[in-house]
Amino acid sequence: MTRAEAKERNRRALLDAAFQVVSRDGYRARLDEIAERADLTTGAIYSLFGSKDGLVVALVADYLRPYYEEIEQAVPAGLDLLEAVDAFARYYRRSCDAPDALSGLSLQITLLDMALHDPELGAQLAASIRSQEKHLVALFTGRSHEGGVVTSQQAQRLTTALRALFVGLSQGVPLGLAPGADEQYFADTARALASGMSLIDHDAGAL
């Protein structure tokens, strides 16, 4: 194994261990337990991530990256805006039934708790999530809608609204707070939101 391969193996082991410990313990997660689970030392955490906060931010990026890659495959080019929103909504609902859905929900709630306890970490997490959301903005930008074309500013507004909608719904599904919220419900709700909101671009006006 080369040095680069060993480094990546250690990085992967620490991220996997951090997912388990952080999801369970939140801001109380201990670096020594994470390192022990990865069969490494805390020194490896500082060497690879710089700090506990650096590990948590890397964990979020690692968790979200494949999610956005799958979305890009689930929402093909050539669809208009509402068709793209429909496909995205259906993908999001299917993700609620994935084997790791409860672990993902636990991590989501835990990260919010961590951000509330540590504003500096919260700012870093927000920046990481916004960076990942650029994939969604790019996914909706340029789609046709009501005789126009969605700009990046309009896609950003829509992405913010859809994220708020789906975070709430996806938390309700496993908790039993969203009865009847099947794939069609997600799609209908998302379409209604995209159709009803004026995707205002303050420079170019509304679509």
Side-chain angles (χ1 to χ4, degrees):
M1 182 179 295
T2 67
R3 184 170 182 173
E5 289 172 337
K7 182 177 180 180
E8 180 56 31
R9 180 199 62 185
N10 292 345
R11 181 179 181 278
R12 180 74 267 154
L14 287 168
L15 287 171
D16 290 342
F19 181 88
Q20 299 299 323
V21 177
V22 172
S23 295
R24 185 194 67 205
D25 297 340
Y27 69 93
R28 292 180 296 274
R30 292 172 26 240
L31 290 184
D32 57 346
E33 181 179 355
I34 293 173
E36 183 179 353
R37 280 175 175 257
D39 198 25
L40 293 166
T41 67
T42 55
I45 295 176
Y46 289 106
S47 174
L48 289 168
F49 302 102
S51 64
K52 179 179 178 180
D53 285 359
L55 174 60
V56 173
V57 172
L59 171 62
V60 172
D62 182 73
Y63 178 76
L64 290 177
R65 187 175 298 109
Y67 162 74
Y68 285 113
E69 290 173 353
E70 290 174 5
I71 290 174
E72 290 175 356
Q73 296 177 7
V75 185
L79 302 180
D80 66 23
L81 178 64
L82 293 186
E83 290 170 335
V85 166
D86 187 291
F88 173 46
R90 292 178 184 278
Y91 165 82
Y92 209 110
R93 177 58 183 86
R94 290 192 297 271
S95 72
C96 295
D97 297 325
D100 64 346
L102 288 179
S103 295
L105 176 60
S106 177
L107 178 64
Q108 184 184 108
I109 294 172
T110 295
L111 290 172
L112 176 60
D113 183 49
M114 293 178 75
L116 292 174
H117 280 85
D118 186 343
E120 183 177 345
L121 173 60
Q124 294 180 56
L125 291 174
S128 177
I129 293 171
R130 283 195 298 269
S131 176
Q132 294 292 325
E133 282 187 349
K134 291 179 182 177
H135 294 287
L136 277 183
V137 175
L139 192 67
F140 293 128
T141 299
R143 304 273 180 179
S144 61
H145 181 62
E146 296 183 350
V149 176
V150 180
T151 68
S152 60
Q153 291 88 350
Q154 292 163 341
Q156 177 65 68
R157 287 175 58 83
L158 177 60
T159 295
T160 299
L162 287 174
R163 176 170 53 81
L165 171 66
F166 289 143
V167 166
L169 285 175
S170 64
Q171 289 178 359
V173 169
L175 295 175
L177 301 176
D182 57 11
E183 197 172 304
Q184 188 62 52
Y185 181 90
F186 268 59
D188 289 345
T189 305
R191 274 180 170 268
L193 186 151
S195 298
M197 70 180 295
S198 60
L199 301 176
I200 298 174
D201 180 334
H202 293 293
D203 294 323
L207 269 178

